[in-house]
Amino acid sequence: MPTAILTGQPVPGSSIEGDLRSLGFEVRLASGTADAETLLAQVPAGERVAVVDARFVGHVHALRLGLTDPRFPLAAIPGAVTAQPAGRRALTRAMARENSADAGTADADTATDGGIALAEGLADRIADALDTDGAEVHRPELGSLVAAVPADPQARNEARQAVSAVDDEAVRLKSAVKARDGFFTTFFVSPYSRHLARWCARRGLTPNQVTTASLLTALIAAACAATGTRGGFVAAGVLLIASFVLDCTDGQLARYSLQYSTLGAWLDATFDRAKEYAYYAGLALGAARGGDDVWALALGAMILQTCRHVVDFAFNEANAGDPAATANTSPTAALSDRLDSVGWTVWVRRMIVLPIGERWAMIAVLTAVTTPRVTFYALLAGCAFAATYTTAGRVLRSVTRRARRTDRAAKALADLADSGPAAEALARVLGRLPARPPLGARTLVALPGGALLVLAAALEPYGSALPVAAAVLYTVTSAAAVALPLKGALDWLVPPLLRAAEYGTVLLLAAKAEVNGVLPAAYGLVAAVAYHHYDTVYRIRGGAGAPPHWLVRAIGGHEGRTLVVVALAALLTAAQFEVALTVLAVAVALVVLAESIRFWVSAHRAGAPAVHDEGEPA
């Protein structure tokens, strides 16, 4: 149980003790700074501890934001400071220093009164001392919420009136909604899903439970779509929307109750992809029952959506630590800011990128009223336009401002490239390849090999050896692309180019085989590999770095898998190719899933810092 140390003279009629207990704190009273330091030392090192001024007046939600958020080792609001286990050492040092200063200030005759008087401002002085020490202290944005330490009765009365004037529950409910979201989510889901989130919180449900419910609902929707009947398609569309409502609810529940966790962030992110791609598979199965083979369209939609996400991840990682990225100094960024100043353009621009809300709403409606083929055509067209729009804007931003790529950013891009043993060995040999052009030669080196590989797979008949030769060239160019740090202005395009080449080759070779079952096997293989790439992203975002090197080597890296697939297509009959792809898909999925689950569960149990993504809509 977390502990709150209440310092200073108790104020008659104050609700601070009850408020702290309602938040789960065990309250201990300190008569002076020395007593506060003693109580702090008695709190177990593995528990959260807070120091709160007894004169505090404010909303309970202000205390909740300041003292219970699991994402930050140190946090403070006026009159209160808290530390999780990771921040305890810094808090203990600051407390000891304040106690020493108070001991020297208090007169021997008035040690007791002086101690109480000094203890009354202890929380704020500790927060200032932490700032002086260079510790990172989170200070939540309180907005209209009140958090104050009145110095006299009149100020206390004014603070209490200010508390009465603001409904903190209404503020809490409003803040449960993501600040930046899509049009459909903002106007058609969040107005009621936040109330559902509060209902869940009051019944003790956790975000992870709601996330799991959303996954199960989407899987049932996929099963309904797989029936191939009109009733099944209508039920699938309705259930897909219900799954999305629950998907919004889990994040809103996390924000409402501040139940952030490493495991929860991973589940939320990976389940979103699992739900969407399982639904694509359900649509393809349903179409097959009606005699229409749309597996190539389903696989194409998954590839396009995955590559879109890799573009997002790579661009964001490339600009991590770049002041120009946040300053919006490029002409393109300035134009974007001007467009955002016109109200309606904000929503239009958010809709045309087809975020998850708009995308799922479109899929659900088209599933219910049209056919899977029409649904996939619309999805591919919409995602292609969105990908072109967002990528073009990011390219313009990159070439019109001076990029300052950090070593961390270059390392993240190299990890996202997913190079295997062959590419790594060649990269060591090609490490002296010049790369001086301002746009970054790495991208220009990776593009020809990938393009030739895809062209060979598209133009040559099944069984041709030419794609094998193209895959060898692709291995060389991809190795050359990562031989030096990816610090060029456009080098964030290298990972998505590699993803498009690998996934696209699998799709084209499977389509050329023209045997029932090859495309579903290819779908399973790409899904397993895509999961590995998403898992890499979420590890990097969580500060854990890329997956272990043995895992990347075990599944071959992007170039190793590509070489294996093109070799299998050249050596095996179409029927044998289907079996080989199925075996490869199962093997990759088992290895990747086992390591991913092991890592995230162990990270959660070890108390890894809680994370929560409030970035662009997925």
Side-chain angles (χ1 to χ4, degrees):
M1 175 181 288
T3 299
I5 301 172
L6 204 59
T7 64
Q9 186 68 36
V11 177
S14 173
S15 64
I16 184 61
E17 287 190 48
D19 292 342
L20 290 170
R21 290 192 175 96
S22 72
L23 296 176
F25 284 91
E26 177 186 351
V27 180
R28 300 181 183 178
L29 305 179
S31 59
T33 52
D35 193 19
E37 184 178 19
T38 301
L39 291 174
L40 176 62
Q42 293 173 355
V43 178
E47 294 183 2
R48 176 190 286 273
V49 64
V51 179
V52 183
D53 197 308
R55 300 171 298 168
F56 178 89
V57 175
H59 289 99
V60 175
H61 192 49
L63 285 170
R64 181 182 291 108
L65 291 172
L67 302 183
T68 68
D69 196 321
R71 295 173 294 176
F72 309 102
L74 294 165
I77 58 174
V81 62
T82 185
Q84 294 199 78
R88 280 289 294 276
R89 181 174 297 180
L91 181 68
T92 300
R93 284 198 302 266
M95 174 73 84
R97 194 159 57 250
E98 290 303 312
N99 186 32
S100 298
D102 289 355
T105 301
D107 185 84
D109 307 308
T110 59
T112 302
D113 293 341
I116 292 175
L118 291 168
E120 285 181 335
L122 183 60
D124 288 335
R125 296 204 311 276
I126 289 175
D128 292 339
L130 289 169
D131 288 333
T132 302
D133 290 343
E136 188 173 346
V137 181
H138 171 66
R139 287 179 168 80
E141 178 62 48
L142 298 180
S144 59
L145 296 175
V146 176
V149 183
D152 55 64
Q154 180 179 348
R156 185 176 300 113
N157 184 55
E158 293 173 353
R160 286 173 174 171
Q161 290 178 357
V163 170
S164 301
V166 175
D167 183 353
D168 73 334
E169 177 59 24
V171 173
R172 183 185 180 189
L173 193 60
K174 182 179 179 181
S175 64
V177 178
K178 188 184 292 187
R180 176 183 172 85
D181 224 328
F183 179 86
F184 179 77
T185 305
T186 299
F187 294 102
F188 292 93
V189 178
S190 291
Y192 57 88
S193 62
R194 57 185 172 184
H195 295 282
L196 178 59
R198 179 170 62 182
W199 183 90
C200 292
R202 290 177 175 176
R203 282 152 184 81
L205 297 177
T206 67
N208 290 351
Q209 291 171 331
V210 178
T211 301
T212 303
S214 175
L215 173 66
L216 293 175
T217 304
L219 293 179
I220 295 172
C224 291
T227 63
T229 63
R230 178 52 52 194
F233 288 147
V234 171
V238 172
L239 287 171
L240 188 64
I241 293 296
S243 175
F244 180 67
V245 171
L246 291 173
D247 183 55
C248 294
T249 301
D250 65 3
Q252 291 164 357
L253 175 58
R255 286 182 286 273
Y256 181 84
S257 56
L258 299 184
Q259 295 185 72
Y260 304 115
S261 70
T262 302
L263 183 63
W266 171 66
L267 289 176
D268 184 49
T270 55
F271 281 9
D272 277 352
R273 307 286 77 79
K275 288 180 287 189
E276 186 166 4
Y277 299 159
Y279 191 83
Y280 293 174
L283 280 177
L285 288 170
R289 286 180 178 273
D292 189 13
D293 186 355
V294 297
W295 274 106
L297 296 177
L299 181 50
M302 181 169 65
I303 291 172
L304 181 54
Q305 190 58 34
T306 302
C307 289
R308 279 188 64 196
H309 284 138
V310 176
V311 168
D312 295 341
F313 299 146
F315 179 78
N316 291 334
E317 288 301 325
N319 290 289
D322 178 11
T326 55
N328 281 345
T329 55
S330 72
T332 308
L335 174 61
S336 177
D337 289 342
R338 287 198 295 273
L339 289 175
D340 280 346
S341 66
V342 182
W344 63 270
T345 64
V346 175
W347 294 113
V348 170
R349 293 173 68 212
R350 291 189 190 181
M351 291 174 68
I352 62 177
V353 299
L354 211 62
I356 188 170
E358 276 73 2
R359 192 166 68 248
W360 284 26
M362 180 184 74
I363 294 171
V365 171
L366 290 178
T367 298
V369 301
T370 65
T371 65
R373 181 172 290 274
V374 171
T375 301
F376 280 123
Y377 281 153
L379 179 63
L380 286 166
C383 286
F385 177 81
T388 302
Y389 172 78
T390 55
T391 304
R394 286 166 177 169
V395 167
L396 288 173
R397 284 175 182 246
S398 298
V399 300
T400 55
R401 72 173 176 223
R402 186 181 297 276
R404 286 181 251 176
R405 303 288 187 250
T406 63
D407 291 338
R408 176 196 174 281
K411 175 65 166 59
L413 291 178
D415 291 335
L416 289 173
D418 192 35
S419 299
E424 286 183 339
L426 285 169
R428 286 192 290 269
V429 176
L430 301 172
R432 296 186 180 276
L433 187 73
R436 297 291 179 264
L439 298 186
R442 305 292 112 195
T443 303
L444 302 180
V445 168
L447 181 59
L452 288 174
L453 172 63
V454 172
L455 282 174
L459 300 178
E460 287 294 299
Y462 178 81
S464 171
L466 186 59
V468 178
V472 173
L473 176 63
Y474 165 75
T475 301
V476 175
T477 58
S478 62
V482 298
L484 293 179
L486 296 172
K487 291 188 175 183
L490 294 179
D491 285 355
W492 54 270
L493 284 170
V494 169
L497 285 174
L498 301 181
R499 295 296 80 74
E502 179 185 359
Y503 299 162
T505 300
V506 174
L507 166 60
L508 291 168
L509 291 176
K512 287 295 183 73
E514 297 183 345
V515 170
N516 289 336
V518 175
L519 279 167
Y523 191 94
L525 175 59
V526 172
V529 175
Y531 177 87
H532 164 63
H533 291 141
Y534 280 116
D535 188 55
T536 300
V537 167
Y538 301 135
R539 292 192 195 215
I540 293 172
R541 279 188 169 182
H549 197 238
W550 71 261
L551 176 65
V552 178
R553 295 179 70 89
I555 60 175
H558 70 92
E559 83 290 347
R561 291 185 298 270
T562 304
L563 285 167
V564 168
V565 170
V566 296
L568 291 173
L571 297 173
L572 303 178
T573 66
Q576 293 171 332
F577 186 51
E578 174 195 348
V579 176
L581 281 185
T582 302
V583 172
L584 187 59
V586 171
V588 171
L590 289 176
V591 174
V592 168
L593 283 171
E595 162 55 22
S596 177
I597 293 170
R598 181 210 63 79
F599 169 79
W600 288 104
V601 172
S602 61
H604 178 72
R605 289 176 176 172
V611 295
H612 190 67
D613 181 22
E614 293 287 0
E616 295 288 336

